[in-house]
């Protein structure tokens, strides 16, 4: 009887305990993450409604859509540099394939920034990645619609503006800007570059 009990502990209970203890390690090993940050050169702030999307993609086939391995969407995006982390299963990575990170920032469904250069890398590396975005240049029709229209100011440097009375803003193609605030009227010079307006 004692021999059977001993056999149970040696051949039954011990392997079971070892198997249970090994499960967390296997689950951790089955997942990996690529981390980094997204930046751009333009000295402008993102609006509160900006959304950042970062994708890890298999771009091996030039004549086919990229296969998405993992992705992360950050809403609201905040301000650059914006950190990201994409988790994926390392078992899907093949040595003969080509992988890249691609990112974009949209505002109310409109594309504002995008990675226009392929960010190719090894997904199994632990080195942090930095993705440089480029501002999307609007068409002439879009740019023209900015001028000589009365805009309502909702945010100033990321801070909500006074809602009553509402502040307004107008810019001309000649570079003159102005509007009315809660207490007075103001004038300034402005330079329009893409979707950004620099006020001097």
């Amino acid at each position: 009887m004692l021999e059977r009990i001993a056999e149970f502990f040696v051949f039954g209970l011990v392997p079971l305990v070892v198997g249970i203890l090994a499960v967390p390690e296997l689950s951790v090993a089955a997942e990996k993450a690529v981390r980094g940050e997204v930046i751009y050169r333009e000295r402008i702030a993102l609006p509160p409604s900006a959304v950042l999307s970062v994708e890890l993609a298999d771009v091996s086939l030039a004549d086919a859509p990229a296969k998405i391995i993992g992705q992360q969407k950050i809403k609201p995006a905040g301000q650059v540099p914006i950190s990201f982390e994409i988790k994926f299963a390392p078992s899907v990575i093949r040595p003969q394939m080509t992988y890249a990170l691609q990112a974009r920032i949209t505002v109310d469904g409109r594309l504002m920034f995008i990675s226009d250069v392929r960010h190719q890398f090894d997904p199994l590396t632990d080195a942090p990645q930095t993705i440089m975005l480029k501002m999307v240049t609007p068409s002439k029709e879009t740019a023209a619609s900015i001028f000589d229209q009365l805009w309502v100011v909702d945010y100033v440097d990321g801070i909500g503006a006074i809602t009553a009375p509402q502040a307004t803003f107008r810019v001309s193609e000649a570079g003159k800007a102005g509007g009315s605030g809660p207490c007075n009227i103001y004038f300034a010079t402005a330079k329009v570059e893409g979707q950004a307006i620099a006020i001097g």
Side-chain angles (χ1 to χ4, degrees):
M1 182 67 179
L2 293 176
E3 292 179 357
R4 292 186 177 180
I5 294 175
E7 289 178 0
F8 169 74
F9 276 98
V10 173
F11 299 105
L13 183 59
V14 173
L16 177 62
V17 173
V18 172
I20 293 174
L21 293 176
V23 169
E25 295 183 3
L26 290 174
S27 62
V28 172
E31 188 176 65
K32 192 172 178 62
V34 54
R35 300 175 178 85
E37 62 182 18
V38 171
I39 60 174
Y40 54 75
R41 292 190 176 90
E42 289 79 3
R43 298 176 61 85
I44 60 173
L46 292 173
S49 58
V51 178
L52 169 65
S53 299
V54 187
E55 298 173 338
L56 168 60
D58 181 344
V59 294
S60 305
L61 301 178
D63 57 347
K67 180 182 178 182
I68 305 303
I69 305 298
Q71 59 184 330
Q72 183 185 24
K73 182 173 289 187
I74 302 175
K75 181 181 181 180
Q79 303 299 331
V80 293
I82 307 170
S83 299
F84 68 87
E85 179 184 59
I86 300 176
K87 296 180 179 180
F88 64 96
S91 59
V92 303
I93 304 300
R94 298 289 182 266
Q96 69 274 21
M97 298 301 184
T98 304
Y99 300 93
L101 287 171
Q102 49 196 31
R104 62 186 179 275
I105 295 176
T106 57
V107 178
D108 299 326
R110 175 178 54 84
L111 184 62
M112 186 174 184
F113 287 92
I114 193 169
S115 51
D116 63 334
V117 177
R118 177 184 288 188
H119 187 97
Q120 186 173 322
F121 79 118
D122 178 7
L124 300 180
T125 182
D126 292 326
Q129 304 296 311
T130 300
I131 307 176
M132 176 66 71
L133 301 187
K134 183 178 181 180
M135 192 172 191
V136 176
T137 303
S139 62
K140 291 183 178 180
E141 291 77 10
T142 303
S145 65
I146 296 176
F147 301 115
D148 299 317
Q149 295 198 44
L150 189 64
W151 300 88
V152 175
V153 179
D154 289 328
Y155 294 90
V156 178
D157 196 20
I159 302 174
I162 298 174
T163 56
Q166 288 182 319
T168 61
F169 175 79
R170 185 192 301 270
V171 60
S172 70
E173 199 166 356
K176 296 181 179 180
S180 61
C183 302
N184 53 19
I185 298 174
Y186 65 92
F187 299 95
T189 58
K191 183 179 180 181
V192 178
E193 294 182 350
Q195 294 292 321
I197 303 176
I199 301 175

